[in-house]
Amino acid sequence: MIHRYKSNGYNIIIDGNSGAVHSVDALAYDIIGMYENTPKDEIVTQMLDKYKDQPDITESDIRDVFADIEELIDKKKLFSKDAFAPVAFDFKKRQSVVKALCLHIAHDCNLACKYCFAGKGEYCGEKSLMSFEVGRAAIDFLIAASGTRRNLEVDFFGGEPLMNLEVVKRLVAYGREQEALHNKNLRFTLTTNGILLDEQVMEFANREMSNIVLSLDGRREVHDRFRVSRSGRGSYDIILPKFKKMAALRNHRNYYIRGTYTHFNTDFACDILHMADLGFREISMEPVVAPPSEPYALTEQDVALLCEQYELLAVEMLKRSKKGEGFNFFHYMIDLEMGPCIIKRISGCGVGSEYLAVTPTGELYPCHQFVGDEGFLLGNVYDGVTNTALRDSFKLCNVYTKKECGDCFARLYCGGGCAANSYHSSGDINGTYKIGCDLHRKRIECAVMLKVAEAFLRD
Amino acid sequence: MKRIQTLETKDLPKSAEKGGCGECQSIVNLCE
């Protein structure tokens, strides 16, 4: 399975099964497109006709390309076969450990963002804050369920986690005690809307949080359209100075400015560039998660526009990088040489087995996007995972159980996509979310193009 | 210039033999 595409003046071939990436000229691009289904003599005839205005392209050149293609086929870097299917069906037998917990430290929020998948932070339930006792039991559960793995992750999530700051501080202190006792390395992370950020919070977060996500949607009018207080007032002017200070205090590393785009800002590249112009260097922007009935939900008609925006963004990033004004965009930070192994690529994000969400009362769910849906209750922090059948269904969910992934070049870059998005879109965690897939494919194309451009600049 | 230039990429079939240790952290973003 190969994928051919043109981007920013480059002709690119991705060999889906081997992960190989080739940058080719126009002639090779055409020949590779015909190679599997057209006799070689016919390819020669067609190419000589197509390139008749270019006398330097001869039959010998065309046959040289055939030889190059054969060499790459022999090396299993072009038209390579899928050799991984047998690996995928052993997943239920694989011993997996819990690596990370998403602690819903607060089912409450001091903003009332209109697009919030958590229903203003309350997850369609009652407002509640996690007690220290529940959080402590969660950390104990994580350490006990983590086997020999040393690096463990605890994310403080909400709602707005800073509405329960004292418990956050006590849990971090408890975690530090326990990691020393059990030879673990606990990494804490925090997602915040910024309203409660002050100097004391920043000092604590910079000391203890290995990563921080700061929620900002971009331009003031875009941000303030959705991210409003309970009284309906926009939050851009309140949080922006705090976020700038926070990024500077972290030396512009180990944080993300993270936005959400909707049907109302399909020109979202402008928002990303706005954030870069504000001085932020680590930026992420995600499509909104919403039922299709919502007016701000993304539509099939939006996809072409959104893909154009990803392309515009990649080209602009390249320009800025050449001028020494580069910034990172989360989805374009792909590592072709040292990325995940094939097991990880097939099995995906770890939802439901390696990564779990904990509610304020200690219930375990497959991830933050399933919280509140009783059909996905896995257990609790005191008894552990008791619904092992549900856990196993997530362990078995992979690119080979999703029929739509079968002929997708990007499947080994996305791991089958988001199980929650698939479930909410198709009613099945083994389904897919078409808009999400279309956007992910485009992001992979752009990320690979940037790698090709980097390689050319290096040479 | 060569008509086909191949970038250095991880050898995925080889990673099926040696990978899967579980020491990894969108999945495109690491093995530890």
Side-chain angles (χ1 to χ4, degrees):
Chain A
M1 168 180 43
I2 63 161
H3 177 61
R4 294 185 316 146
Y5 68 101
K6 295 173 181 280
S7 175
N8 194 27
Y10 297 103
N11 303 310
I12 298 172
I13 312 288
I14 296 176
D15 188 58
N17 290 322
S18 70
V21 174
H22 312 282
S23 173
V24 304
D25 73 356
L27 177 66
Y29 186 83
D30 287 340
I31 293 174
I32 289 170
M34 303 168 72
Y35 195 79
E36 279 194 303
N37 299 312
T38 311
K40 286 180 180 171
D41 289 345
E42 176 63 20
I43 294 175
V44 170
T45 303
Q46 286 194 34
M47 291 298 100
L48 287 175
D49 182 53
K50 178 170 181 177
Y51 291 98
K52 58 179 179 285
D53 295 335
Q54 296 183 40
D56 58 324
I57 292 181
T58 65
E59 178 169 348
S60 172
D61 289 313
I62 295 166
R63 295 203 181 272
D64 282 348
V65 173
F66 292 161
D68 290 343
I69 290 172
E70 290 297 335
E71 187 180 339
L72 288 169
I73 290 172
D74 287 346
K75 289 179 176 173
K76 297 184 168 56
K77 292 195 168 195
L78 193 62
F79 300 115
S80 64
K81 304 299 179 203
D82 179 356
F84 309 128
V87 177
F89 293 98
D90 275 344
F91 280 175
K92 192 172 176 180
K93 296 178 195 162
R94 273 187 79 214
Q95 285 296 310
S96 60
V97 297
V98 181
K99 301 176 178 182
L101 290 182
C102 173
L103 293 190
H104 287 228
I105 202 80
H107 275 192
D108 195 0
C109 193
N110 44 15
L111 289 183
C113 304
K114 299 168 189 170
Y115 55 39
C116 182
F117 77 90
K120 298 180 183 174
E122 295 151 27
Y123 290 82
C124 306
E126 297 293 312
K127 287 182 182 179
S128 57
L129 300 178
M130 182 179 285
S131 68
F132 171 69
E133 288 69 26
V134 167
R136 181 176 59 189
I139 289 174
D140 291 343
F141 162 74
L142 173 62
I143 289 172
S146 62
T148 58
R149 183 180 167 88
R150 186 161 183 275
N151 291 326
L152 303 178
E153 292 136 19
V154 176
D155 184 41
F156 294 109
F157 198 61
E160 172 50 44
L162 296 183
M163 293 183 76
N164 199 6
L165 179 61
E166 287 313 307
V167 170
V168 170
K169 287 180 174 177
R170 289 182 68 191
L171 288 174
V172 169
Y174 179 72
R176 295 289 175 238
E177 287 172 16
Q178 294 303 304
E179 68 180 358
L181 290 173
H182 297 280
N183 189 30
K184 301 289 185 184
N185 176 36
L186 275 176
R187 294 183 295 198
F188 294 102
T189 56
L190 172 74
T191 300
T192 179
N193 62 30
I195 297 293
L196 294 174
L197 274 182
D198 59 24
E199 293 208 355
Q200 284 76 27
V201 175
M202 289 186 199
E203 189 277 327
F204 165 73
N206 287 338
R207 189 178 68 243
E208 297 290 1
M209 299 295 152
S210 61
N211 208 329
I212 296 181
V213 170
L214 309 169
S215 299
L216 176 71
D217 283 353
R219 295 163 290 183
R220 177 188 281 108
E221 65 274 22
V222 170
H223 180 94
D224 283 350
R225 180 172 198 144
F226 287 100
R227 301 190 66 82
V228 296
S229 68
R230 297 271 168 173
S231 62
R233 186 179 163 215
S235 57
Y236 180 94
D237 289 326
I238 299 169
I239 62 170
L240 184 58
K242 300 178 182 196
F243 285 176
K244 283 183 168 180
K245 185 169 185 177
M246 190 75 169
L249 285 171
R250 293 179 79 82
N251 296 318
H252 290 279
R253 287 183 305 178
N254 300 322
Y255 77 95
Y256 273 92
I257 285 286
R258 191 265 197 218
T260 297
Y261 68 79
T262 74
H263 177 67
F264 295 122
N265 65 317
T266 51
D267 60 347
F268 67 89
C270 297
D271 293 293
I272 294 172
L273 296 175
H274 173 75
M275 295 193 276
D277 292 339
L278 288 170
F280 297 112
R281 290 289 166 264
E282 305 291 332
I283 301 173
S284 176
M285 179 70 89
E286 302 301 321
V288 71
V289 174
S293 55
E294 293 290 353
Y296 53 80
L298 298 172
T299 68
E300 287 282 354
Q301 289 69 43
D302 291 334
V303 170
L305 275 174
L306 299 172
C307 288
E308 278 177 22
Q309 290 290 298
Y310 281 119
E311 182 93 12
L312 283 170
L313 174 66
V315 172
E316 179 63 21
M317 285 177 69
L318 204 52
K319 279 184 195 164
R320 292 188 182 209
S321 179
K322 286 176 184 170
K323 291 194 290 186
E325 299 167 0
F327 63 91
N328 286 324
F329 177 57
F330 178 81
H331 286 291
Y332 293 170
M333 295 166 67
I334 192 169
D335 188 339
L336 294 176
E337 294 178 59
M338 299 282 278
C341 69
I342 193 66
I343 309 294
K344 174 71 171 174
R345 289 173 190 243
I346 293 172
S347 58
C349 66
V351 57
S353 58
E354 297 178 336
Y355 167 76
L356 304 171
V358 185
T359 68
T361 50
E363 296 166 315
L364 294 172
Y365 282 90
C367 85
H368 53 290
Q369 293 225 32
F370 286 106
V371 165
D373 186 335
E374 294 298 321
F376 286 93
L377 180 62
L378 278 165
N380 62 67
V381 293
Y382 303 104
D383 304 318
V385 173
T386 51
N387 190 345
T388 53
L390 180 62
R391 180 198 59 198
D392 287 349
S393 73
F394 277 93
K395 276 175 85 170
L396 278 172
C397 178
N398 63 67
V399 296
Y400 287 96
T401 60
K402 298 178 175 227
K403 63 180 171 54
E404 289 89 348
C405 297
D407 58 355
C408 176
F409 80 91
R411 63 182 182 167
L412 297 183
Y413 295 95
C414 84
C418 171
N421 283 354
S422 297
Y423 175 71
H424 293 131
S425 169
S426 71
D428 183 356
I429 62 171
N430 288 301
T432 51
Y433 168 46
K434 184 177 182 307
I435 291 176
C437 291
D438 290 342
L439 298 179
H440 204 91
R441 277 190 282 267
K442 183 62 188 178
R443 292 191 298 244
I444 294 298
E445 285 187 349
C446 291
V448 170
M449 181 278 282
L450 288 172
K451 286 295 176 189
V452 169
E454 278 174 26
F456 271 85
L457 287 173
R458 220 172 26 233
D459 294 344
Chain B
M1 200 168 79
K2 287 184 67 176
R3 293 189 184 279
I4 301 177
Q5 299 189 73
T6 300
L7 273 68
E8 282 294 321
T9 53
K10 191 180 189 92
D11 188 331
L12 293 184
K14 267 193 181 169
S15 81
E17 300 163 19
K18 292 286 187 182
C21 69
E23 293 296 332
C24 39
Q25 295 174 340
S26 167
I27 67 158
V28 293
N29 311 67
L30 301 179
C31 173
E32 293 190 310

